[in-house]
Amino acid sequence: MSCMKRVEYGYVSSTEQTIIEELSREEKRMQAIIYTKPHCQKCRWTVFKLSRVMPVQTITADADDYERFRKLNYRSMPVVKIYKADGTHDEWCDLQVDKIKQYTEAI
């Protein structure tokens, strides 16, 4: 299982930490990491909508990710993590139209 690192908003994998640091250098606004699975229409739609308003990095979930998500009681894909410029974050799983609208209409 990938090593988890404690940061100010919780635990993140080393892959997430690298992406967050890279995105933070590029943008001083919201950014998203979206875990997807192949051939997932909900995943594609979520990525499409959020990528119109913020930088998005997609990761195809692997067995370690699925195990971590199960421990968080996430039972559906995609898993979305939004990192805000003020250092806070939001996350959810499955197709959450209301959550997506919250971010796409805020811009």
Side-chain angles (χ1 to χ4, degrees):
M1 188 155 169
S2 59
C3 181
M4 300 299 285
K5 180 179 178 184
R6 175 86 172 119
V7 294
E8 66 267 12
Y9 40 77
Y11 289 92
V12 296
S13 70
S14 57
T15 302
E16 290 172 349
Q17 183 64 29
T18 301
I19 293 167
I20 293 164
E21 289 171 356
E22 184 175 318
L23 290 173
S24 293
R25 283 190 294 275
E26 294 173 3
E27 294 284 340
K28 292 298 180 191
R29 60 185 179 132
M30 290 186 291
Q31 53 244 337
I33 297 174
I34 303 174
Y35 287 85
T36 63
K37 68 178 182 179
H39 314 294
C40 171
Q41 187 63 35
K42 296 185 293 186
C43 299
R44 283 194 296 270
W45 194 84
T46 300
V47 168
F48 172 75
K49 287 296 194 179
L50 290 176
S51 66
R52 297 178 71 173
V53 296
M54 69 181 75
V56 170
Q57 175 72 41
T58 60
I59 299 172
T60 301
D62 62 17
D64 289 340
D65 296 320
Y66 289 127
E67 180 63 26
R68 186 163 43 106
F69 299 149
R70 276 192 290 279
K71 289 179 181 177
L72 294 169
N73 289 321
Y74 289 168
R75 304 283 188 232
S76 185
M77 297 299 281
V79 173
V80 179
K81 297 185 175 199
I82 304 283
Y83 296 93
K84 302 175 187 175
D86 65 4
T88 62
H89 81 291
D90 190 10
E91 66 182 75
W92 67 87
C93 72
D94 205 358
L95 177 62
Q96 301 284 334
V97 175
D98 290 343
K99 294 291 256 178
I100 293 168
K101 281 184 180 180
Q102 172 187 335
Y103 291 101
T104 56
E105 293 176 358
I107 303 295

